[in-house]
């Protein structure tokens, strides 16, 4: 940056350059780089939008309300990042996978760290509500070999679109959550209830913004997974019901073609008995492929 900007007075024309020059002694080089890009892009946006003073104040108040609603359970800035597509973009940048490895998607706010480790095949639907579902598949490496000892942390909303943590006292604690570990064949299987679409928390400024933009707050039905195994990159992802009404318009842009699973309705009583569920049930088969950690 030239001295001209370093000591120059601020004008509409040179605004970004003057601010960037003022930050040139940033103690952290990365911070300096981040603030330079943000400053340039923000000034560019303001120059294109030409907000009135009232509009700019409205933007400030939106950010103020976004902060004010945050608490231990509610992170409205993450929701904002989600509905702007930024969470998915950061996820994509940080999870570039080799071909054949399963794709990642957003973690979301409803993961709990201390879900119980359960025997393979357990029914995670503790209140037995909803349509029975049998979920199974394999954890593989990119050569198609099974991964033994993989840890599969799974959580899902119930048949009304609520997670247990949203309905304390209504759903049992740890309803529709479980941690499983694969054996030598890399297989996993468990029983649950067919999930339903649900709205992201939309009673705050982000929900209001979605409404003003003519957007709905819904996420299509899905199951969350974190799959971890020694020597492999951890995979945070979902599988989705392709027949869900919101499959093409996820409020947080989390859907990827490769994460569409088939939720196959099975009427057969013998198949139900084998899966230890009542007929009819939904059979969901999905393999996950982990990428090896780079040495
Ligand atoms: C979820 O899938 O749990 C979720 C993701 C982003 C925002 C809200 C919920
Ligand atoms: Fe979810």
């Amino acid at each position: 940056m030239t001295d001209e900007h370093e000591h120059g007075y601020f004008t509409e024309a040179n605004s970004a350059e003057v601010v960037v020059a003022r930050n040139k002694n940033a103690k952290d080089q990365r911070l300096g780089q981040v603030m330079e890009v943000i400053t340039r892009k923000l000034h560019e946006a303001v120059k294109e939008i030409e907000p009135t003073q009232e509009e700019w104040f409205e933007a400030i108040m939106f950010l103020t309300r976004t902060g004010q609603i945050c608490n231990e359970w509610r992170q409205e800035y993450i929701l904002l990042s989600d509905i702007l597509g930024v969470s998915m973009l950061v996820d994509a940048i940080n999870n570039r996978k080799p071909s054949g490895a399963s794709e990642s998607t957003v973690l979301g706010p409803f993961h709990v760290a201390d879900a119980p480790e359960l025997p393979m095949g357990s029914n995670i639907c503790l209140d037995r509500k909803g349509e029975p579902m049998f979920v199974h598949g394999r954890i593989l490496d990119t050569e198609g070999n099974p991964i033994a000892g993989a840890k599969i942390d799974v959580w899902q909303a119930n048949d009304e679109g609520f997670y247990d943590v949203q309905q304390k006292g209504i759903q049992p604690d740890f309803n529709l959550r479980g941690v499983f570990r694969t054996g030598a064949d890399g297989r996993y299987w468990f029983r649950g209830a067919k999930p339903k679409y649900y709205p992201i928390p939309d009673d705050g400024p982000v929900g209001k913004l979605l409404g003003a933009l003519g957007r709905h707050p819904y996420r299509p039905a899905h199951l969350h997974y974190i799959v971890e195994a020694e020597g492999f990159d951890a995979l945070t992802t979902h599988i989705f019901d392709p027949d869900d009404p919101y499959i093409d318009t996820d409020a947080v842009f989390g859907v990827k073609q490769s994460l569409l699973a088939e939720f196959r309705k099975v009427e057969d009583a013998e198949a139900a008995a084998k899966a230890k569920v009542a007929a009819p049930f939904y059979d969901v088969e999905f393999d996950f492929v982990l990428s090896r950690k780079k040495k």
Side-chain angles (χ1 to χ4, degrees), residues 106-110 155-157 163 198 219-224 238:
V106 278
L107 173 67
F110 299 121
W155 68 105
Q156 60 159 105
Y163 289 89
Y198 63 82
R219 299 215 64 210
H222 56 271
L223 281 87
H224 290 260
H238 309 357

Side-chain angles (χ1 to χ4, degrees), residues 69 73-76 78-80 82-83 108-110 161-163 166 198-210 216-219 251-252:
I69 203 173
W73 314 108
R74 179 79 178 250
Q75 227 308 352
E76 196 77 357
I78 295 184
L79 279 186
L80 181 58
D82 292 343
I83 66 121
F110 299 121
F162 292 104
Y163 289 89
Q166 295 175 290
Y198 63 82
I200 63 168
D202 65 340
D203 56 344
V206 168
K208 228 169 162 192
L209 176 63
L210 280 179
H216 67 72
Y218 292 99
R219 299 215 64 210
V252 306

